[in-house]
Amino acid sequence: MMLKEIRTDLTEIRYYYAHKKVFDEAICITGSNIIMDKVQRYNEAVSQAPLRQYEIYVGLYINNNTQEWLAEELGYTPEYIQMLNKQLLLYLQKTL
């Protein structure tokens, strides 16, 4: 996979989790959306990731935080969060 595709997928995953309640209610009416397959695939991949990369995935994409907020919350610099996010992207590229 190309990094651009992974970034796009992560943006969609972040959007899904930010509006999860709405999507979960809609699934009862319309059935599953393709995003659910993507979420499951990425969640399975990241479950085997190194701990800090897992933490970044949860903090940024599941909990919908900004890099700046997450850096402050975890006591890291924004640059360190950027580096960890890049490592996460590379890990996902290799794994997926």
Side-chain angles (χ1 to χ4, degrees), residues 4-61:
K4 183 177 180 180
E5 184 180 358
I6 293 170
R7 283 186 179 99
T8 300
D9 287 350
L10 289 173
T11 299
E12 290 177 359
I13 290 168
R14 172 183 257 165
Y15 187 85
Y16 164 77
Y17 278 113
H19 303 93
K20 187 176 184 319
K21 183 178 179 190
V22 173
F23 288 116
D24 288 350
E25 290 172 1
I27 286 171
C28 295
I29 299 167
T30 64
S32 184
N33 183 279
I34 194 165
I35 188 63
M36 298 308 300
D37 294 334
K38 196 175 290 188
V39 166
Q40 182 179 3
R41 198 171 85 232
Y42 275 75
N43 285 349
E44 286 174 4
V46 84
S47 71
Q48 302 298 314
L51 192 55
R52 287 204 198 318
Q53 293 168 16
Y54 178 82
E55 180 178 49
I56 295 300
Y57 179 80
V58 171
L60 294 178
Y61 303 106

